[in-house]
């Protein structure tokens, strides 16, 4: 049986700030909702290679699974949910920024 | 052509004779030693003038111990580190007993001479020398 | 307490300048991430889930008030106003920015502190008994030796790129509070025929293949210490596996080659290295020892303490759990719990750090310690000062009377911060503590160590917890496995897996069933959880954990 390709987003940490970022069609964003969703495997591989080459800006790029059943892409795995939100013991990380806007 | 780094900076390699792979001949003047060699069994014959130890990756620190063991066994000839050695590892290499480091042009382009020269002061601030020879000021 | 020599200070200045240059070179592209990573790790800088993390060494866990104040200042200036004290006597900052890290390191250097070798495949921050120099049961203070090892291992040219990380712990007491048997090298100070020396233990470790260390030398004369350590690490550097990260620790090297073979290689290497050490190191050790001379203890009545104990139940309860016997008459060792019920184990705010620093200065001969159980210790407090110390602590949320009890939990950062985690550990610790606080049972339960790790790497020491909890990812859901009967002391033991794991919702009730079973099973209130477990074995506890299995079998 052929493996089904699930939708993906390229994610990494920013070199200078260290925070979680996602690839968009033209650059990077801190907001998963703005990320470029990749539904084609070859395309995803290519975009990952492109991301990994931007060593002056990002660290540790990889493909994460996203769930498209709602309006904007959601993390498919709880690890990515934490990366997208922040730790559970303090309101720090992205949730802190979200609360301040 | 590769580049030779010493305390004075970059220079072309000035060793002209063949370097023989460890285990091929016993009477070589120059030996190439891989990073998985056992330093206790490397033959230190009279005519041996240069030993070149390979660093396949900058994360592979075996060469430092190999150099140290060769020095402790009495080798006084030229000891060279070759391969993926970083400027930041230059002091470690010198302190472990190497005389010089041989790097590729590509690595030299990315890590230019001033970055290596920055560590030419490797004799300073060295805990090891101090623990072995220094007379403590506070006693 | 040791203060830096000019040499230490000059070294650190130079080292920080190097790291500043390395950060610049990473940013300008001279260094790739692959090349930069080992260099930043060597300086304690990780990249975690949400941000960078800086791990600062607190060598052998000892601090003075100035240093603690600086840690607080750094938390305010470059982090989010708090720090996390770890099981390896380090403090971690969870939110630094890459460009700020060189400044943070310079700030640390102002108070003789650094982040060197708190990470990476090198010899890590040396840990020691947190009651060193104060405990009544101590043979000798292990810190001078730990400081000597710090100097020897710092920037050691041969050992910056080992096959894997390398951890050394020292204890000077027969009651092992430094978990020496779970370290790459454990040193126990011993004497033989009046001569001081060490029992050398090698190849212990937790992680995915937990192993209890083995004795490689029963008695090593003091003066042979550095050459012998150097021989061990040198043999390991060449012999340790580099093909598989999970088999790269010295415990596997010793296991695969056999202790006798390993020992023979070490002894051979030792013979080669020994003449290098001409005794200068021993002179330095004597100089260091002089700096660790015990404070001048005062002789004063302890009636204020006795009175407070009699009249204030809260103080009595705290005194019963958080004090340890001191070697000097009239003194006590205070353990300040960083485990308020529901708080993150090991976290302290900058205000709390400052308060502890001020108390240490005023009442504690200016000394603080960090324990591997993630608490802070005031090692020398006169008993007459304890009521004042307690009320100040209590007012700042630091007066929790739970040291050694069920809510005094070790927990690693887990999935809330750690890039390697498979599940969270902090919320589990918070919920267990809160639950048992509600039940008002913890003093009745007595000594019980729960230790939680968020993945198989075992940073939370779960293998050696009386109850160990390991967080895993089972098909995309957090799942928690329980081990029972572990022990981190001189009778070190690896816990036994109790059975299938529990979901995040079910783990707290499972722990409660387990503890209630113990309360029923114990022969008398004085029999601890661990003693009951050792007497009865796994079965009755298993039955409590998995009641449905028993029902099915019936
Ligand atoms: C948050 C980032 C951390 C990372 C990425 C990390 C990584 C690791 C890894 C990979 C291991 C397994 C090593 C092996 O088995 O070869 C390990 C073990 C360990 N770590 Fe951590 N750790 C982290 C935090 C901590 C903290 C916060 C502590 C102290 C509370 C700690 C203390 C330990 C201890 C005690 C061990 C087990 C002992 C041993 O080395 O065998 N680590 N860590
Ligand atoms: S045990 Fe795992 S999750 Fe916890 S800190 Fe260590 S590596 Fe991270």
């Amino acid at each position: 049986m052929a493996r089904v390709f699930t939708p993906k987003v390229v994610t990494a940490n920013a070199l200078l700030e260290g925070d979680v970022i996602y690839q968009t069609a033209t650059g990077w964003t801190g907001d998963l909702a703005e990320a470029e969703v990749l539904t084609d495997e070859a395309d995803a591989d290519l975009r990952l290679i492109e991301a990994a080459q931007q060593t002056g800006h990002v660290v540790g790029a990889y493909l994460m699974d996203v769930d498209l059943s709602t309006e904007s892409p959601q993390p498919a795995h709880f690890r990515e949910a934490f990366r997208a939100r922040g730790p559970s013991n303090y309101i720090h990380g992205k949730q802190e920024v979200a609360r301040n806007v | 052509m590769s580049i030779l780094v010493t305390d004075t900076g970059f220079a072309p390699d000035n060793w002209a004779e063949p370097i023989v792979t460890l285990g091929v001949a016993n009477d070589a003047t120059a030996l190439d030693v891989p990073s998985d060699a056992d330093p206790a069994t490397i033959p230190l014959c009279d005519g041996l003038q240069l030993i070149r130890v390979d660093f396949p990756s900058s994360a592979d620190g075996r060469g430092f111990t190999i150099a140290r063991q060769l020095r402790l066994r009495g080798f006084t000839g030229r000891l060279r580190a070759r391969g993926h050695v970083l400027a930041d590892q230059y002091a470690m290499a010198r302190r472990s007993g190497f005389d010089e480091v041989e790097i590729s042009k590509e690595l030299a382009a990315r890590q230019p001479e001033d970055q290596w020269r920055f560590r030419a002061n490797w004799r300073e601030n060295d805990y090891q020398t101090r623990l072995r020879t220094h007379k403590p000021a506070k006693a | 307490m040791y203060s830096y020599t000019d040499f230490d200070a000059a070294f650190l200045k130079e080292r920080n300048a190097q790291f500043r240059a390395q950060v610049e070179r990473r940013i300008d592209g001279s260094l790739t991430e692959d090349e930069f990573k080992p260099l930043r790790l060597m300086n304690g800088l990780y990249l975690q889930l949400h941000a960078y993390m800086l791990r600062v060494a607190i060598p052998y866990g000892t601090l003075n008030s100035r240093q603690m104040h600086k840690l607080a200042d750094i938390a305010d200036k470059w982090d989010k106003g708090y720090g996390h004290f770890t099981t390896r006597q380090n403090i971690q900052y969870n939110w630094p920015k890459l460009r700020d890290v060189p400044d943070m390191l310079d700030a640390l250097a102002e108070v003789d502190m650094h982040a060197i070798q708190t990470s990476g495949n090198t010899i890590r921050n040396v840990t020691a008994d947190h009651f060193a120099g104060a405990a009544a049961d101590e043979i000798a203070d292990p810190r001078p030796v730990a400081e000597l090892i710090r100097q020897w291992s710092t920037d050691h040219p041969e050992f910056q790129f080992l096959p894997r990380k390398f951890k050394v712990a020292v204890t000077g007491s027969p009651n092992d509070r430094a978990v020496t048997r779970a370290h790459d090298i454990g040193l126990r100070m011993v004497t033989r025929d009046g001569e001081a020396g060490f029992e050398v233990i090698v190849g212990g470790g937790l992680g995915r293949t937990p192993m209890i260390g083995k004795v490689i030398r029963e008695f090593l004369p003091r003066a042979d210490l550095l050459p012998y350590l150097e021989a061990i690490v040198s043999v390991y550097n060449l012999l340790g596996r580099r093909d598989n990260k999970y088999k790269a620790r010295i415990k596997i090297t010793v296991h695969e080659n056999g202790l006798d073979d390993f020992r023979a290689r070490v002894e051979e290497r030792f013979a080669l290295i020994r003449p290098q050490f001409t005794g200068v190191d021993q002179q330095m050790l004597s100089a260091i020892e002089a700096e660790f001379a015990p404070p001048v203890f005062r002789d004063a009545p302890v009636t204020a303490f006795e009175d407070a104990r009699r009249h204030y139940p809260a103080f009595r309860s705290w005194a019963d759990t958080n004090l340890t016997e001191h070697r000097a008459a009239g003194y006590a060792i205070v353990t300040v719990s960083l485990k308020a019920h529901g708080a993150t184990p090991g976290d302290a705010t900058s205000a709390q750090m400052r308060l502890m620093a001020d108390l240490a200065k005023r009442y504690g001969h200016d000394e603080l310690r960090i324990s591997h159980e993630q608490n802070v210790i005031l090692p020398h407090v006169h008993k007459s000062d304890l009521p004042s110390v307690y009320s100040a602590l209590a007012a700042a949320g630091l007066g929790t009377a739970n040291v050694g009890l069920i809510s005094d939990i070790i927990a690693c950062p887990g999935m809330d911060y750690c890039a390697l985690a498979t599940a969270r550990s902090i919320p589990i610790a918070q919920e267990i503590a809160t639950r048992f606080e509600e039940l008002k049972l913890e003093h009745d339960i007595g000594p019980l160590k729960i230790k939680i790790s968020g993945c198989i790497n075992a940073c939370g020491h779960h293998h050696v917890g009386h109850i160990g909890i390991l967080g895993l990812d089972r098909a995309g859901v957090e799942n928690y496995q329980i081990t029972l009967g572990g022990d981190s002391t001189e009778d070190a033991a690896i816990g036994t897996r109790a059975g299938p794991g529990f979901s995040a919702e079910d783990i707290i009730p499972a722990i409660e069933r387990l503890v209630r079973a113990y309360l029923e099973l114990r022969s008398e209130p004085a029999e601890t959880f661990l003693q009951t477990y050792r007497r009865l074995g796994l079965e009755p506890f298993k039955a409590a954990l998995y009641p449905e299995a028993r029902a099915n079998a019936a």
Side-chain angles (χ1 to χ4, degrees):
Chain A
M1 202 182 80
R3 194 166 46 89
V4 187
F5 182 76
T6 49
K8 305 241 176 338
V9 160
V10 178
T11 182
N13 288 77
L15 173 66
L16 295 180
E17 303 289 309
D19 56 337
V20 175
I21 49 176
Y22 307 98
Q23 199 174 35
T24 66
T26 52
W28 294 87
T29 174
D31 183 359
L32 182 56
E34 295 168 1
E36 175 190 26
V37 176
L38 304 160
T39 49
D40 175 76
E41 185 162 8
D43 196 26
D45 289 345
L46 186 70
R47 294 292 285 147
L48 177 60
I49 290 168
E50 286 169 6
Q53 281 165 350
Q54 300 175 42
T55 54
H57 187 58
V58 308
V59 182
Y62 62 93
L63 290 166
M64 63 176 264
D65 281 311
V66 286
D67 176 355
L68 297 180
S69 56
T70 54
E71 228 169 275
S72 60
Q74 298 297 322
H77 189 275
F78 66 92
R79 180 179 194 271
E80 294 305 334
F82 286 118
R83 286 181 81 240
R85 198 193 72 199
S88 45
N89 59 334
Y90 301 112
I91 301 175
H92 287 161
K94 290 194 187 296
Q95 57 195 339
E96 180 180 20
V97 181
R99 210 168 59 153
N100 291 342
V101 285
Chain B
M1 267 302 283
S2 44
I3 284 159
L4 212 56
V5 190
T6 62
D7 293 354
T8 54
F10 285 2
D13 189 356
N14 59 358
W15 180 266
E17 292 174 47
I19 304 181
V20 180
T21 308
L22 175 69
V24 172
N26 272 340
D27 54 353
T29 48
L31 265 186
D32 243 340
V33 169
S35 68
D36 62 357
D38 176 1
T41 61
I42 295 171
L44 300 178
C45 310
D46 282 346
L48 187 62
Q49 292 171 31
L50 177 140
I51 300 179
R52 182 164 75 172
V53 181
D54 189 39
F55 281 75
S57 135
S58 60
D60 182 347
R62 286 178 288 188
F64 300 119
T65 286
I66 293 175
R68 189 84 212 296
Q69 293 308 306
L70 290 172
R71 290 301 190 204
L72 287 178
R73 284 184 57 208
F75 179 68
T76 53
R78 206 163 151 179
L79 197 50
R80 176 185 294 188
R82 186 217 14 205
H84 193 185
V85 180
L86 306 181
D88 307 272
Q89 293 171 316
Y90 181 73
M92 297 167 205
R94 295 289 276 132
R95 289 169 177 174
S96 302
F98 286 109
D99 298 301
E100 57 200 24
V101 179
E102 182 187 328
I103 56 170
S104 69
K105 272 229 160 75
E106 176 275 325
L107 189 61
R110 212 154 41 76
Q111 306 207 337
E113 197 172 9
D114 60 324
Q115 297 184 0
W116 296 82
R117 280 257 220 27
F118 186 57
R119 299 313 315 278
N121 66 348
W122 58 273
R123 282 191 184 80
E124 292 163 27
N125 303 313
D126 180 13
Y127 275 110
Q128 294 315 311
T129 322
R130 181 174 144 90
L131 279 166
R132 287 160 166 89
T133 57
H134 166 87
K135 302 259 172 302
K138 300 196 220 175
Chain C
M1 227 179 98
Y2 186 73
S3 63
Y4 274 15
T5 58
D6 292 346
F7 180 90
D8 293 307
F11 165 80
L12 196 53
K13 192 157 177 250
E14 161 80 11
R15 170 73 175 229
N16 285 351
Q18 286 162 20
F19 187 61
R20 189 176 286 279
Q22 286 159 0
V23 169
E24 286 310 319
R25 285 159 56 216
R26 172 65 185 94
I27 293 172
D28 76 20
S30 317
L31 285 171
T32 66
E33 183 61 22
D34 282 351
E35 290 167 340
F36 180 62
K37 190 174 171 186
L39 300 173
R40 71 164 153 79
L41 290 179
M42 236 178 248
N43 290 286
L45 186 63
Y46 281 80
L47 187 52
Q48 293 290 77
L49 275 190
H50 317 289
Y52 284 97
M53 179 271 276
L54 182 67
R55 183 184 284 167
V56 176
I58 300 169
Y60 34 90
T62 298
L63 286 169
N64 60 29
S65 61
R66 229 178 110 233
Q67 293 172 319
M68 188 64 124
H69 268 286
K70 185 61 83 175
L71 294 178
D73 295 346
I74 289 173
D76 282 340
K77 182 155 183 199
W78 290 291
D79 208 86
K80 294 187 188 285
Y82 76 101
H84 177 72
F85 291 101
T86 81
T87 56
R88 296 216 68 257
Q89 301 182 320
N90 297 305
I91 179 170
Q92 297 187 169
Y93 293 108
N94 285 321
W95 304 95
K97 309 265 188 270
L98 182 57
R99 278 194 198 280
D100 290 339
V101 175
D103 292 340
M104 296 169 81
L105 296 180
D106 284 348
L108 288 167
E110 289 168 18
V111 293
D112 298 0
M113 291 184 78
H114 61 74
I116 295 169
Q117 289 171 221
T118 55
S119 178
N121 294 332
T122 178
I123 303 172
R124 300 291 189 85
N125 181 32
V126 181
T127 52
D129 183 351
H130 44 263
F131 292 161
D137 59 9
E138 185 172 275
I139 300 169
D141 188 339
R143 291 173 301 159
V145 164
E147 171 58 26
L148 185 70
I149 298 172
R150 182 191 75 82
Q151 299 191 17
W152 163 78
S153 62
T154 297
D155 205 27
H156 195 300
E158 256 183 272
F159 304 144
Q160 298 301 308
F161 293 87
L162 295 171
R164 202 77 182 85
K165 58 172 84 167
F166 202 93
K167 301 178 180 176
V168 182
V170 200
T171 178
S173 161
N175 297 309
D176 186 358
R177 288 173 289 260
V179 209
T180 53
R181 288 189 168 270
H183 282 75
D184 297 279
I185 294 181
L187 297 170
R188 295 184 49 220
M189 301 174 89
V190 291
T191 49
R192 178 188 274 186
D193 305 329
E195 191 194 351
F198 302 93
E199 178 186 80
V200 185
I201 300 160
V202 70
L206 301 172
R208 76 179 53 214
T209 331
M211 288 193 193
I212 299 295
K214 304 167 182 74
V215 176
I216 183 166
R217 219 4 151 87
E218 270 172 27
F219 184 81
L220 182 75
R222 234 164 99 96
D224 288 346
L225 180 65
L226 293 186
Y228 198 77
L229 291 181
E230 194 158 296
I232 294 176
V233 187
S234 166
V235 167
Y236 164 64
N237 192 24
L238 294 184
L239 196 61
R241 286 179 62 171
R242 288 173 187 265
D243 59 330
N244 181 341
K245 172 173 159 165
Y246 302 123
K247 304 210 157 145
R249 291 290 286 270
I250 195 174
K251 62 189 171 189
I252 308 287
T253 318
V254 172
H255 183 73
E256 288 185 349
N257 292 277
L259 182 64
D260 291 335
D261 175 85
F262 190 82
R263 182 187 289 123
R265 290 171 193 259
V266 168
E267 294 292 341
E268 195 183 322
R269 190 72 48 96
F270 173 68
L272 204 57
I273 294 172
R274 182 65 184 88
Q276 289 260 305
F277 288 83
T278 54
V280 183
D281 60 316
Q282 293 304 303
Q283 291 170 24
M284 286 173 68
L285 179 58
S286 319
I288 296 169
E289 272 169 348
E291 298 218 28
F292 283 101
V296 183
F297 295 118
R298 78 177 195 266
D299 199 2
V302 295
T303 38
F305 169 71
E306 304 294 355
D307 288 349
R309 223 179 152 271
R310 210 167 305 121
H311 298 299
Y312 303 106
F315 178 75
R316 185 187 318 135
S317 158
W318 177 81
D320 287 348
T321 50
N322 295 35
L323 301 183
T324 308
E325 198 187 340
H326 198 283
R327 60 154 63 138
Y331 273 76
I333 303 172
V334 174
T335 301
V336 180
S337 169
L338 296 184
K339 316 287 176 67
H341 301 102
T344 304
D347 279 9
T349 64
S350 53
Q352 291 177 327
M353 289 184 218
R354 289 190 181 103
L355 174 77
M356 291 186 282
D358 293 343
L359 291 175
K361 176 119 191 162
R362 175 136 181 228
Y363 301 110
H365 296 275
D366 205 21
E367 262 200 56
L368 299 127
R369 305 285 173 75
I370 307 305
S371 80
H372 79 85
E373 291 174 327
Q374 300 179 288
N375 291 316
V376 174
I377 284 148
L378 303 173
H380 316 293
V381 182
H382 192 269
K383 285 186 178 166
S384 61
D385 292 327
L386 287 170
S388 314
V389 169
Y390 172 72
S391 17
L393 288 172
L398 291 170
T400 315
N402 64 348
V403 169
L405 303 182
I406 192 167
S407 60
D408 183 9
I409 298 172
I410 294 185
C412 79
M415 185 73 93
D416 286 307
Y417 298 92
C418 178
L420 304 175
T422 43
R424 284 174 296 170
S425 22
I426 292 169
I428 304 300
Q430 291 173 312
E431 285 168 39
I432 293 174
T434 312
R435 177 65 186 147
F436 281 91
E437 167 71 358
E438 276 164 19
L439 294 173
K440 297 285 170 223
L441 269 180
E442 72 175 329
H443 289 268
D444 186 19
I445 296 162
L448 175 52
K449 291 189 193 296
I450 297 190
K451 305 188 192 227
I452 311 177
S453 305
C455 82
I456 192 80
N457 287 324
C459 302
H461 289 192
H462 68 274
H463 297 300
V464 292
H466 303 162
I467 299 178
I469 302 177
L470 166 62
L472 295 168
D473 173 351
R474 285 277 176 267
V477 180
E478 288 168 302
N479 186 275
Y480 295 89
Q481 227 171 56
I482 293 179
T483 51
L484 294 175
D487 183 1
S488 67
T489 67
E490 58 285 358
D491 306 316
I494 303 289
T496 308
R497 218 185 108 184
F502 296 89
S503 69
E505 296 74 53
D506 294 340
I507 182 74
I508 313 294
I511 298 294
E512 189 175 331
R513 288 200 298 281
L514 196 58
V515 172
R516 287 191 186 278
Y518 151 68
L519 291 176
E520 277 183 23
L521 291 164
R522 67 182 177 189
S523 58
E524 49 165 341
E527 191 183 56
T528 65
F529 179 90
L530 189 61
Q531 287 165 342
T532 307
Y533 175 84
R534 286 187 171 157
R535 178 169 58 83
L536 296 174
L538 184 61
E539 280 320 312
F541 293 99
K542 217 171 156 167
L545 277 176
Y546 305 101
E548 57 300 333
R550 195 176 40 178
N552 291 346

